Structure formats: C-alpha cells, structure tokens
Amino acid sequence: MDKAKELELKKIATEIRKSIIIQTAEAGSGHPGGSLSGVEILTYLYFVEMRIDPKNPKDPDRDRFVLSKGHASPLLYAVLAEKGFISKEELKGFRQIYSNLQGHPDMKKVPGVEMSTGSLGQGLSVANGMALAAKLDGKDYRVYVLLGDGEIQEGQIWEAAMTAAHYKLDNLTAFLDHNGLQIDGKITEVMSPEPVDEKFKAFGWHVIKIDGHDFNQIEKAVAEAKTVKGKPTIIIAETVKGKGVSFMENEVGWHGTAPNKEQAQKALEELQKQLENLEVQG
Amino acid sequence: MAKIATREAYGQALAEFGEVYKDIVVLDADLSKSTRTEIFKKKFPDRFFNIGIAEQDLMATAAGLATCGKIPFASTFAVFAAGRAYDQVRNSIGYPHLNVKIGASHAGVSIGEDGASHQMLEDIALMRVIPGMVVLSPSDATSTYECVRLAIEHEGPVYIRLGRLGVEEIYKKGERKLELGKGIVLQKGTDVGILATGLMVHEAIKAAKMLQDEGISVYLVDMPCIKPIDVDLILDMAKTAGCIVTAEEHNVLGGFGSAVSEVLVQNYPVPVKMVGVNDEFGRSGKPEDVLKYYKLTAQEIVNKAKEVMKMKK
C-alpha cells in the first residue's frame, strides 16, 4: 500500500474513532471498547475493498458485510455515515427513541446494514447463507463477517465453522477481532477459546494472523483470502480494545460503558491530536 | 382410505412447488428422511443443504439465504425448530422479518414412542408471540399443500406445524384454496361451536357427528391458520352458537385455545372449553394410546361441548 493511501485511511479511521466516542457519549450508553478495536478492519473493507454503492445499497451484486458482534454498532454506523449510506446528522440519535440507529444494527431501519445482529454467535451462519446464495446464483460477490473473540464461545460459531468448510465457501472471509477481552474480563480467564488459529484450522479453514490495526497487513490478508480456493478464510486480527484512546486501551471496563462529557472531551482531544499529526505527515 | 402424514405431504409439496419457484431452497438438520424433505433433495440436489445436527446454524443460514432473495424452507422437528433454535428464529428470522419458512414436523404427542423430549407441545405459544410470524397448522395432506403454497406466496416468516402420524384426507386436492387468516367452515350450527386445528380436526369431525346423533347442532371449523387468526369467523361462531370448544394437540396454555379466547374476551365473550394437553409433558407409547392418555379424543370434545353448553347464558 502506498504511503498516501495509508495516510488517507488512517485519517478516516481517526474520524471514525471520533464518531464512536461522540455517538456513545450522546447516547450515554453503548460499547466503545470493541468498536474502537475493529476500526481499521472496517475502514479497509468499506473504503478500499468492498464493491458497494451507497446510492444503490440493495444492488444484488454487492459485496456483503455482517457485523456478527452487533454491539459494535457505533463502528458500523460511523463507517456507513462516512461512506454516505446515512447522514452524519443521524448519528446523534444513536440508541435514542425515534432514531433508526438501534443499540444493535437493524437491517430494516438502516440502509447498508446487511443483517440485524446483536444476539452473539449468529452472524457467521448468516454469512454462510449469503455465500451459499452467491454460489447458487453463480455470482462473484464476496461475504465478510466480523466476529468477536468472546463471541466465539457461542457453540453456534463452531456449527457455522463446520458448515462453511463443508460447503467450501471460499467466497467468505471472516475477521476475528482478537482483542482478548470480554465483559467479565480476559477471554482466557472467562472461558478460553485458545488456540483459535488451530481450532479454525482443524475445522477446515485457511487461517491468517495479522496485526488488526495495520492497513498493510489487512490488505495482504484480504488479497490472500481471495486466492484461497475450496475453503473459507479467517483473518485473526490481533487488536487492542479501546484502541486510539489512551485511557480506554486494554481496559475491560470500557466494553459496554459510555464516556461521560469530560471523558468524551478528553478522548476527542486525543484523537484530534492524532489527526493533526497525520495532517502534518500528509 | 390411504392415510398420509402432513410431514409426507410437506415433502411432496416442496418437490412440486420447487419446479415452479426456482428460488426455493430446502435446508434440513439431519432429519430429511423424517421431515420428508428427502423428496425435494432427490429432485433438486443443488438446492438442498444438509446443515447437520445443528439447528441454530440451520435457522441463521436460512436467514442469510433469504437476504439474497432465496425462499428457504428450514426443516426439522418442531421441538428443535421452535425450542432449541428459538433465539435464532426470533432474532435472525423474526426481527428482520426475513422470508424464511420453517417446516416443523413431529409436533405434538402423536409422534408416540420417542416421548417427552421429542413431543413438542409449546411451539404454537412460542411462535405466535414472535411479531410478524405467521403460524400454520394443517389438518391433512391437501391443507398441507395449501399451507406450503400460502407460505411461498406470503413475504415474511412462516411457521408450518406438521405431524408424523398418518391421517385421512379431509379435502380433495384442488377442491378449495386456503386463504391466509381464514378458517374453513365445515358446517354451521347453533348449539355449540367447535374450533379445531391440526390433527385434532379429525377428532372434531367425529365429535360433531356424535353430538348430532344426540340432536345437538354443531358449528364446526378447521383453523389451519392460527396467526393471523380469523377474527370474523370466531365472532360469527360465538354469536351463532353462543359457546365454543377448542381442540389442539398442544399445551392449553398459550396455544390455539388461548389465541381464540384472546379474540373472544376482547370482542364478544362467550364460554370456552379447551381440549388439549393440560400443562404436562408428553410420554412414550403408541400414538393412539398417547392421544387417549391425554384425552385428545372425539369423546373428550363431546364431553367439553356438553359442559360448555351448560355455561351459556
């Protein structure tokens, strides 16, 4: 990836981080930690990789993205607003009555949301269904899904992992947002899913491990996934929960707590500084 | 007369409609021989997906297919469809109002020997409270065929309750078209109304004859569509007969009788007696013996009819 493009993506990612803070602070609720950890993954997918058109959100040939970890809705909404599926003005209503931006994404209310999610463990099965439909119809669209590392404690994930491999869904790429934390603490202390790479391999998947905040690594991994034939790919992305806001990073308490006014102010100042540094580089 | 189970008719209907509707895909969870989706699988192997013994994955995969314009029929036993995968049906099918059809076979106690773990007596209650979910409960082969047709023609989630036990035909194929939200008047009468669904329609027909032999005039209705329910027909029965017996192969709590009562108490209250399983789990036995054990019989409908007639004002 050339430097200019990387810089541009970093700026977008920082804007999205600001939006996550603003949305959750305005709502007084929501999940900033796991939203911030997935920023680079979604930024790459929506601003580089996916064949999507905000003016034609229902194009049958579009690529699909399923946010299986539906609580990261502020991240998805921020990306959809930045991309032009919804207005930025709308983001202020997040989680509030009369707004379409429900606490967890609702496909019937928000253009660009491909699946209503929120009950963990179901998104991979849904993505399988979309990938199967592409095969049936001889279409070349690809399906992406973002899983949480706590989420894969749900048994249905492994049912779906079997299905994806059994039906050779090489048009499906899953990302695992591997930030190591869930509501009650470290995933390895609550109920360890490790080693996740060997588990997915054993289930018949192609496995790639990357730094989930590095656009170059994300780009290479996505490109590699597209060359894999006869099996689905999972990109295990090592991430930092709360990434980008110093006092939120790796702090389990920021899983489902919104910043108050002062905290939001502090976070936004930090992010603004990061943005200015990027401007200087550019 | 040859007896056909509604699950058998379901498999045949899918294979038949699969010719016309190319978007139909069928999914099963390792029970295709029992749900009879095997008939579809043999004809359209490319449009059949066995998901294995994984009902949660079955339902959410069907949801994903529906988002891409397919008409998935997710098929398994009622106990797994409505029980084990309830969250998937609620959140991945019901909430986004996706066009998934759930073919739920082996409902009720009439599956017999397998016993309580497999005898689903709560699915009507569970399914009808999911907003937007259509709940169908056919009584014979023809009405099953018609329910599958209605499910295809309706845009949105549909639950079709099917049985394992062979039943006689009530309707001839092509004789009448079912309508969504409409009951079928088998006969009109003025002394007592009988509203039955699924397998219990057969017992209700026998009960009506027994009552008529005693000079009692019976208003008899088959209700294949539990949700949306036929409000007009229920109220006409209440006004004409003045008292009602409901009959279902399901827990009387929250089921078909409850659905009928909800309509009556809010619009035109008349006495109601319910024939069904009285808040119990099922048990093993020959299907006929189990049905008798739980008093899911014509005689019990007759008994309840006589009781409810005495409650008329």
Side-chain angles (χ1 to χ4, degrees), chain A residues 47-277:
Chain A
F47 291 90
V48 181
E49 183 57 37
M50 288 203 302
R51 190 166 68 199
I52 43 170
D53 178 4
K55 290 190 196 72
N56 188 12
K58 288 283 170 197
D59 180 353
D61 293 322
R62 72 193 183 279
D63 288 336
R64 269 78 167 170
F65 172 78
V66 177
L67 182 69
S68 193
K69 45 175 286 185
H71 53 281
S73 53
L75 165 59
L76 181 59
Y77 296 150
V79 169
L80 291 176
E82 197 69 31
K83 192 80 187 166
F85 282 92
I86 56 175
S87 76
K88 290 191 179 174
E89 190 60 26
E90 215 176 328
L91 293 174
K92 288 180 188 153
F94 173 58
R95 283 186 169 233
Q96 293 171 55
I97 198 77
Y98 302 123
S99 167
N100 286 327
L101 304 187
Q102 300 295 294
H104 295 78
D106 180 340
M107 66 183 287
K108 293 285 154 151
K109 292 190 170 75
V110 183
V113 172
E114 295 287 359
M115 183 62 194
S116 304
T117 49
S119 187
L120 292 176
Q122 301 184 24
L124 188 55
S125 302
V126 172
N128 285 346
M130 293 171 174
L132 280 172
K135 298 252 178 202
L136 270 176
D137 292 338
K139 286 183 180 289
D140 68 349
Y141 65 78
R142 295 188 64 80
V143 184
Y144 296 92
V145 58
L146 183 67
L147 304 169
D149 53 1
E151 178 182 19
I152 64 173
Q153 291 162 353
E154 289 282 4
Q156 188 186 345
I157 289 292
W158 303 101
E159 296 181 357
M162 269 187 275
T163 300
H166 182 84
Y167 285 106
K168 301 180 169 52
L169 300 180
D170 48 18
N171 51 352
L172 171 80
T173 303
F175 277 91
L176 184 69
D177 188 359
H178 200 359
N179 61 37
L181 298 175
Q182 59 189 111
I183 304 180
D184 273 359
K186 290 185 180 168
I187 58 162
T188 49
E189 285 171 10
V190 175
M191 177 51 64
S192 180
E194 302 297 345
V196 286
D197 52 345
E198 288 176 32
K199 283 201 176 75
F200 275 99
K201 261 180 214 157
F203 275 82
W205 286 57
H206 180 69
V207 177
I208 305 171
K209 288 173 88 168
I210 61 163
D211 173 347
H213 298 304
D214 182 330
F215 284 115
N216 283 291
Q217 291 190 38
I218 296 171
E219 179 168 70
K220 271 188 201 148
V222 169
E224 183 180 323
K226 286 158 90 173
T227 66
V228 174
K229 296 293 164 215
K231 54 164 80 171
T233 293
I234 183 153
I235 300 170
I236 299 174
E238 294 300 332
T239 58
V240 174
K241 199 152 181 164
K243 174 76 176 176
V245 179
S246 59
F247 61 91
M248 288 186 171
E249 287 191 359
N250 277 321
E251 287 293 330
V252 75
W254 289 105
H255 173 92
T257 310
N260 63 28
K261 265 190 184 166
E262 293 78 45
Q263 290 163 331
Q265 189 59 36
K266 211 177 141 200
L268 289 172
E269 279 167 17
E270 261 189 48
L271 290 165
Q272 190 56 38
K273 261 183 209 154
Q274 291 171 27
L275 205 55
E276 282 159 17
N277 286 340

Side-chain angles (χ1 to χ4, degrees), chain B residues 109-115 119 283-291:
Chain B
V109 291
S110 60
I111 65 163
E113 290 83 349
D114 277 342
Q119 288 163 325
R283 62 187 296 133
S284 293
K286 289 195 174 68
E288 296 76 11
D289 292 344
V290 180
L291 287 166

Side-chain angles (χ1 to χ4, degrees), chain B residues 29-303:
Chain B
D30 189 44
L31 291 169
S32 62
K33 289 182 180 69
S34 301
T35 61
R36 305 305 295 134
T37 59
E38 189 183 53
I39 305 168
F40 181 92
K41 172 186 166 181
K42 282 184 179 148
K43 206 165 162 190
F44 305 105
D46 297 344
R47 284 152 59 191
F48 176 86
F49 301 102
N50 202 332
I51 300 297
I53 309 166
E55 294 78 14
Q56 303 172 27
D57 190 36
L58 170 84
M59 292 302 169
T61 306
L65 281 156
T67 67
C68 297
K70 300 297 168 196
I71 308 171
F73 278 78
S75 316
T76 183
F77 288 3
V79 72
F80 307 129
R84 188 163 194 134
Y86 188 75
D87 187 43
Q88 285 69 18
V89 172
R90 177 186 183 271
N91 284 304
S92 286
I93 297 173
Y95 177 48
H97 200 74
L98 289 173
N99 201 24
V100 175
K101 319 304 169 185
I102 299 164
S105 74
H106 294 61
V109 291
S110 60
I111 65 163
E113 290 83 349
D114 277 342
S117 66
H118 284 56
Q119 288 163 325
M120 190 37 150
L121 295 169
E122 306 93 48
D123 54 333
I124 296 174
L126 288 164
M127 286 297 129
R128 74 187 188 89
V129 291
I130 294 178
M133 179 69 73
V134 167
V135 181
L136 304 176
S137 166
S139 56
D140 77 342
T142 295
S143 103
T144 302
Y145 176 88
E146 284 290 297
C147 283
V148 171
R149 182 181 61 77
L150 286 181
I152 295 166
E153 290 173 1
H154 174 75
E155 177 83 23
V158 179
Y159 182 84
I160 311 175
R161 189 176 207 247
L162 305 160
R164 173 177 177 266
L165 194 62
V167 288
E168 287 173 3
E169 73 179 13
I170 298 171
Y171 312 104
K172 296 228 179 325
K173 198 167 169 180
E175 178 185 53
R176 70 166 80 219
K177 291 236 168 192
L178 242 58
E179 281 178 72
L180 202 63
K182 293 286 170 205
I184 300 166
V185 179
L186 296 175
Q187 64 180 55
K188 287 211 172 193
T190 52
D191 294 331
V192 64
I194 301 175
L195 276 162
T197 191
L199 182 80
M200 290 307 288
V201 175
H202 298 267
E203 296 304 307
I205 291 169
K206 284 183 223 160
K209 283 192 188 117
M210 289 157 74
L211 289 162
Q212 272 153 213
D213 287 347
E214 296 186 42
I216 296 164
S217 168
V218 178
Y219 194 147
L220 180 63
V221 165
D222 173 2
M223 290 284 255
C225 189
I226 295 175
K227 186 187 172 190
I229 202 156
D230 193 339
V231 173
D232 293 343
L233 180 50
I234 292 169
L235 294 182
D236 185 63
M237 177 181 276
K239 286 167 190 168
T240 311
C243 62
I244 288 172
V245 178
T246 62
E248 63 194 302
E249 191 192 3
H250 184 275
N251 195 332
V252 292
L253 302 183
F256 173 64
S258 301
V260 171
S261 303
E262 286 161 14
V263 173
L264 291 170
V265 293
Q266 294 186 88
N267 297 287
Y268 194 88
V270 297
V272 177
K273 286 278 176 186
M274 297 180 197
V275 174
V277 176
N278 287 292
D279 202 26
E280 283 179 80
F281 285 101
R283 62 187 296 133
S284 293
K286 289 195 174 68
E288 296 76 11
D289 292 344
V290 180
L291 287 166
K292 263 183 216 147
Y293 181 93
Y294 289 101
K295 295 188 179 168
L296 297 170
T297 59
Q299 184 58 54
E300 183 65 7
I301 297 173
V302 167
N303 296 345

